[in-house]
């Protein structure tokens, strides 16, 4: 019988009647990881996770979300989780195999049990992360750290072989490091399409803000080459500030296309309808709103179409209390029921900030019902338009958003207020000059619809003034409406 030497077992193994066994938690941990992976796979491919990803990607891709979300979110994230779970499962399986192996010294050699051979007579050890390469009889074998004796001493230290020099190539051949490199490489490969699309979106945004307009602009070239970012380009184009008619019309066309291909946020549709009305495309705005929305009632009243407004359902006359009373009063005015309109209009409390539109409507009704003193008082208010409660934008108009448009609308309304105040005091030539100035400013900014309600009031107060011309888009502005929008 040979001389018995020390015995080394893997540190996680446990003794049993049949020898060394792996710890009891490894098998349940493997099944738990598989169950977690299947749960995550269902969540991200068919559950709430997919819905959340689709909702977030819709903000960029609109109608292209279904085809983009898989390649840009679902598969990369599922792949990353699969890599992590797969790496853990491989590690647990390796630990399982190691726990069934042991090495013992006998008859001047090392005998390996539970594994397919091992270094019996080591003559060189090259340590690497996670273990060491051991040479025996001209052959190399990898031995992991963790094979310890009853005193906790590692076999790699106790095997008796000299250490290889630090520059030995075997020191760089670490299975653990190789596995980490493979995992990182796969993770990087999974993120390539995500990073590519992120750069594409950034390039498109920069092209919108810096590029030239027209079919040959960089943004349009990107939209043709990559249709999936077309919704993102249209959304970015709709956020620019405009104070000229051509710019405003291009922005409206971009918003209309965005309405059909996405993305659409919150009250974006209502904003689009209001912008269409201001631009003189009221008929298109009516088609977008439908007959049951409050905007439809307001549009018809602004267009001086009381019969059509009366045919709308009662629920369509929504909005705040003050606005509803004002629109009802305007409708009665258009029907020629001046006293009823005057009674329907709510009176602002004394000392409260007043809106120019409300004062203009009340002043016109006071004039039409023969209330001379009130007409003169309200006309004096209209001749001081800067005292009204209004938006104040100081300095340069904002480069983004609706700031420039608000400033253009405010400046045009100043002259409208002068025009109505002078007309109420029978200074019709001066009122006509102010009206033409306001109309020119509104047309230049692409806001002819801004003057709709004021045109209705001035036609009732002085039927023969320059405001008697047809309302856009029926007149000269009709040519500005892109073909096919109506």
């Amino acid at each position: 019988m040979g001389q018995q030497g020390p015995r080394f077992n893997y540190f996680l193994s446990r003794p049993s009647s049949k020898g060394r066994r792996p710890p009891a938690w490894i098998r349940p941990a493997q099944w738990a990881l598989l169950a977690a992976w299947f749960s995550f796979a269902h969540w991200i491919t068919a559950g709430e996770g997919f819905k959340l990803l689709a909702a977030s990607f819709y903000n960029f891709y609109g109608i292209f979300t279904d085809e983009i979300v898989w390649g840009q979110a679902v598969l990369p994230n599922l792949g990353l989780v699969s890599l992590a779970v797969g790496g853990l499962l491989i590690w647990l399986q390796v630990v399982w195999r190691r726990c069934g192996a042991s090495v013992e010294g006998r008859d001047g050699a090392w005998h390996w049990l539970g594994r397919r051979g091992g270094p019996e007579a080591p003559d060189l050890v090259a340590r690497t992360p996670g273990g060491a390469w051991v040479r025996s009889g001209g052959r190399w074998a990898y031995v992991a750290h963790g094979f310890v004796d009853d005193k906790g001493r590692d076999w790699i230290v106790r095997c008796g072989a000299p250490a290889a020099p630090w520059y030995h190539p075997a020191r760089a051949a670490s299975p653990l490091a190789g596995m980490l490199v493979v995992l990182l490489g796969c993770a990087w490969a999974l993120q390539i399409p995500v990073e590519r699309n992120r750069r594409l979106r950034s390039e498109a945004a920069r092209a919108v803000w810096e590029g030239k307009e027209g079919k040959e602009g960089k943004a349009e070239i990107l939209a043709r080459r990559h249709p999936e970012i077309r919704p993102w380009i249209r959304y970015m184009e709709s956020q620019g500030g405009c104070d000229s008619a051509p710019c405003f019309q291009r922005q409206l066309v971009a918003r209309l296309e965005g309405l059909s291909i996405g993305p659409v946020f919150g009250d974006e549709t209502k904003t689009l309808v209001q912008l269409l009305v201001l631009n003189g495309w009221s008929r298109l705005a009516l088609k977008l709103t439908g007959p049951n929305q409050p905007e439809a009632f307001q549009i018809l009243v602004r267009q001086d179409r009381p019969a059509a407004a009366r045919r709308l359902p009662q629920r369509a006359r929504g909005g705040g209390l003050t606005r509803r009373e004002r629109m009802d009063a305007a409708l009665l005015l258009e029907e020629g029921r001046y006293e009823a309109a005057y009674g329907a209009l709510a009176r602002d409390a004394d000392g409260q900030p007043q809106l120019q539109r409300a004062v203009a409507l009340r002043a016109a009704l006071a004039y039409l019902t023969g209330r001379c003193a009130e007409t003169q008082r309200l006309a004096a208010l209209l001749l001081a338009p800067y005292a009204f409660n209004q938006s104040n934008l100081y300095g340069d108009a904002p480069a983004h958003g609706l700031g420039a448009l608000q400033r253009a609308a405010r400046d045009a309304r100043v002259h409208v207020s002068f025009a109505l105040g002078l007309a109420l005091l029978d200074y019709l030539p001066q009122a006509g000059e102010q009206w033409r100035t306001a109309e020119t400013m509104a047309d230049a900014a692409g806001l002819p619809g801004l003057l709709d309600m004021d045109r209705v009031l001035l036609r009732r107060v002085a039927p023969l003034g320059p405001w008697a011309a047809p309302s856009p888009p029926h007149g000269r502005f009709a040519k500005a409406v892109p073909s096919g929008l109506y």
Side-chain angles (χ1 to χ4, degrees):
M1 185 173 181
Q3 183 180 2
Q4 185 74 27
R7 186 182 181 92
F8 294 82
N9 300 299
Y10 199 63
F11 75 102
L12 287 177
S13 63
R14 56 189 175 90
S16 68
S17 58
K18 297 181 180 180
R20 307 295 296 188
R21 301 288 296 173
W25 56 266
I26 288 185
R27 192 180 298 275
Q30 289 177 316
W31 285 109
L33 283 173
L34 282 175
W37 182 86
F38 279 112
S39 298
F40 177 78
H42 176 270
W43 180 79
I44 202 171
T45 58
E48 290 298 320
F50 181 83
K51 295 178 182 178
L52 291 173
L53 287 174
S56 62
F57 270 65
Y58 178 79
N59 295 336
F60 300 103
Y61 303 107
I63 61 174
F64 297 97
T65 298
D66 289 341
E67 69 179 69
I68 294 296
V69 69
W70 283 95
Q72 299 299 322
V74 176
L75 294 181
N77 286 288
L78 181 60
L80 290 175
V81 173
S82 299
L83 285 175
V85 172
L88 285 173
L89 287 175
I90 292 174
W91 179 77
L92 289 174
Q93 191 62 29
V94 170
V95 169
W96 178 278
R97 296 294 301 272
R98 288 175 181 172
C99 288
S102 62
V103 57
E104 64 178 22
R106 188 173 63 246
D107 298 330
W110 297 103
H111 295 272
W112 291 86
L113 307 175
R115 64 174 277 173
R116 193 183 306 171
E120 296 183 357
D123 56 32
L124 190 64
V125 174
R127 294 192 180 188
T128 69
W133 289 96
V134 182
R135 189 178 65 184
S136 175
R139 302 180 63 181
W140 290 91
Y142 181 77
V143 180
H145 285 301
F147 286 95
V148 297
D149 60 10
D150 54 357
K151 295 182 179 180
R153 294 174 296 186
D154 196 287
W155 178 85
I156 295 176
V157 178
R158 302 294 298 174
C159 70
W166 64 269
Y167 53 82
H168 197 283
R171 289 183 177 270
S174 169
L176 176 61
M179 181 179 177
L180 291 176
V181 169
V182 170
L183 291 176
L184 290 175
C186 293
W188 176 79
L190 287 170
Q191 292 301 304
I192 289 177
V194 179
E195 179 62 21
R196 170 186 170 275
N197 206 270
R198 186 194 65 81
R199 289 197 305 266
L200 188 60
R201 288 202 312 266
S202 299
E203 185 180 358
R206 185 177 294 276
V208 168
W209 297 119
E210 296 181 358
K212 65 178 182 179
E213 304 288 348
K215 296 182 179 180
E216 298 305 320
K218 188 175 180 181
E220 289 305 312
I221 294 175
L222 287 173
R224 288 198 300 270
R225 291 178 179 174
H226 307 281
E228 69 275 11
I229 65 168
R230 192 179 188 91
W232 173 241
I233 290 175
R234 292 295 173 259
Y235 172 73
M236 296 294 292
E237 288 176 343
S238 70
Q239 300 306 301
C242 285
D243 56 3
S244 65
C247 174
F248 188 29
Q249 290 158 21
R250 285 193 301 268
Q251 188 178 112
L252 280 176
V253 172
R255 286 177 178 267
L256 287 169
E257 185 177 352
L259 185 65
S260 62
I261 65 175
V264 178
F265 305 103
D267 291 335
E268 188 73 13
T269 304
K270 293 184 178 179
T271 301
L272 174 59
V273 168
Q274 294 171 356
L275 294 177
L276 288 172
V277 172
L278 291 176
N279 196 242
W281 298 352
S282 297
R283 287 180 293 171
L284 177 58
L286 280 174
K287 290 186 177 182
L288 288 178
T289 59
N292 297 323
Q293 299 299 322
E295 290 82 2
F297 177 73
Q298 297 170 17
I299 291 171
L300 291 174
V301 173
R302 290 170 63 94
Q303 287 185 323
D304 202 359
R305 298 168 60 186
R310 285 291 185 190
R311 288 195 295 267
L312 293 180
Q314 184 65 30
R315 62 178 178 273
R317 305 181 189 184
L321 180 62
T322 302
R323 171 168 291 188
R324 185 167 64 247
E325 290 175 344
R326 192 188 312 154
M327 297 309 294
D328 287 340
L331 176 61
L332 292 170
L333 178 145
E334 293 172 2
E335 292 175 334
R337 301 164 60 185
Y338 300 142
E339 286 291 344
Y342 186 86
L345 188 63
R347 296 176 178 273
D348 292 335
D350 292 339
Q352 294 295 321
Q354 301 183 84
L355 295 175
Q356 188 266 345
R357 293 177 179 86
V359 173
L361 178 58
R362 189 185 311 154
L365 287 172
Y367 179 87
L368 295 171
T369 55
R371 292 173 168 84
C372 298
E374 186 175 3
T375 299
Q376 292 181 355
R377 181 178 66 84
L378 295 176
L381 289 177
L382 291 171
L383 292 175
Y386 294 103
F388 291 120
N389 188 29
Q390 59 185 337
S391 299
N392 290 310
L393 302 173
Y394 300 104
D396 295 335
H400 310 301
L402 301 177
L405 202 62
Q406 289 177 334
R407 167 170 288 172
R410 182 199 63 187
D411 294 343
R413 292 206 61 82
V414 167
H415 294 278
V416 169
S417 184
F418 283 137
L420 183 57
L422 291 169
L424 292 172
L425 298 175
D426 291 331
Y427 293 104
L428 295 183
Q430 295 86 342
E433 292 178 4
Q434 292 294 328
W435 173 262
R436 281 187 287 269
T437 300
E439 196 171 35
T440 300
M441 295 177 65
D443 285 349
L447 301 171
L450 179 73
L451 311 181
D452 285 346
M453 201 65 237
D454 302 283
R455 185 180 287 105
V456 171
L457 298 179
L458 282 164
R459 283 175 180 172
R460 298 311 193 275
V461 171
L464 300 180
W467 39 79
S471 304
H474 307 292
R476 65 184 184 282
F477 199 74
K479 296 180 181 180
V481 180
S483 60
L485 289 182
Y486 288 148

